[in-house]
Structures are given as structure tokens and as C-alpha cells.
Amino acid sequence: MADTLAITGLLNRAGTAYDTGDLEFIMDLFLEDSVFELVIAGNEPMVFAGRENIRALFEGAHESQTDQRRHCITNIYFTDETDTSVTAVSNLILISVENGALTVLSSGLYTDTVVLVDGAWKLQRRHLHLDLPY
């Protein structure tokens, strides 16, 4: 069966990596042909296909933010589990810290297809449905 403890750690670390600007860690989670699908408040999905398009999304978002973000990943559970793949579902609570104030910006649901490639767990497909714009 999939190493769900390692995958849980990876998903949690990815949230912290974004918050600390460790884009290289985040990008190492994706395969060259990975897909990131983002739905904001029920609008049409935005699809970012391939590692370079995913990188551009994260770089653009990170550069435009003046606050300190905190991605809180919670309630992780797994479905469709095999030795080399699993679907991980988790909640996101996105907090902003700026000018001495904490603000909850959005919440959302991640659905990740995680695969084992050369001994490492990678995000093959990531779907994020945000309840509000961030």
C-alpha cells in the first residue's frame, strides 16, 4: 500500500514551502507533465499543464503578495490506494498575516493524485477548489 505517512508529510511541507518561498521544493513535487487545476468560487477551472506553467502560476502569485501566507492543510484522507499511487484529499485554510492582523482569506479542498516515481512520491494531478478568491 502507499506510504500515506510520507505523503501526508509531503503535502503539509508543500504548504509551508509556499509560505517560506521554497519554490524549488514545491516544483520538485511535480512531474514534467503534471496538471494543476484551480477552481475559484465555482468559476470555470483554470488548468496549468506541465511543470513550467505550474511554476509560472506559483511565481506570479507569490510575487504579487505583500502579506505572509499560511497554508494550513488539514483532514487528509486517502482513496484509490495502491502500492504506487493514491488519491489524497485534504482541506486548506489560507491565512494572511499583514499589518499585525490575521485574516482568513479562503478555504478549499485539494484532491491530489500522487504517484511513486523512482522511489519518490510526486503530484501527478492537483485539483484545488477554493471557496473564495485569494
Side-chain angles (χ1 to χ4, degrees):
M1 298 308 272
D3 187 346
T4 55
L5 182 59
I7 295 166
T8 297
L10 209 64
L11 298 177
N12 284 323
R13 186 163 175 215
T16 300
Y18 183 88
D19 298 339
T20 60
D22 189 353
L23 186 60
E24 294 313 311
F25 177 84
I26 296 168
M27 294 317 303
D28 190 50
L29 293 176
F30 291 96
L31 301 165
E32 285 299 325
D33 62 348
S34 289
V35 174
F36 187 111
E37 185 177 66
L38 177 61
V39 176
I40 300 175
N43 290 310
E44 290 297 313
M46 294 177 280
V47 179
F48 303 87
R51 187 184 283 158
E52 289 311 309
N53 290 321
I54 296 168
R55 175 185 287 279
L57 166 69
F58 286 130
E59 285 177 342
H62 205 268
E63 288 171 4
S64 70
Q65 295 163 359
T66 59
D67 58 344
Q68 174 63 63
R69 300 286 168 104
R70 298 290 182 220
H71 288 72
C72 302
I73 312 302
T74 66
N75 301 353
I76 299 172
Y77 68 91
F78 301 94
T79 65
D80 305 320
E81 188 176 345
T82 72
D83 290 339
T84 58
S85 69
V86 67
T87 299
V89 179
S90 57
N91 287 312
L92 166 67
I93 302 167
L94 182 58
I95 299 171
S96 168
V97 182
E98 190 167 37
N99 299 322
L102 290 172
T103 305
V104 175
L105 296 179
S106 191
S107 57
L109 185 71
Y110 284 112
T111 304
D112 297 317
T113 303
V114 187
V115 295
L116 187 61
V117 177
D118 297 329
W121 291 100
K122 303 287 183 178
L123 290 170
Q124 183 178 51
R125 183 171 191 86
R126 171 161 260 200
H127 176 92
L128 173 56
H129 188 115
L130 288 173
D131 299 318
L132 296 171
Y134 63 97

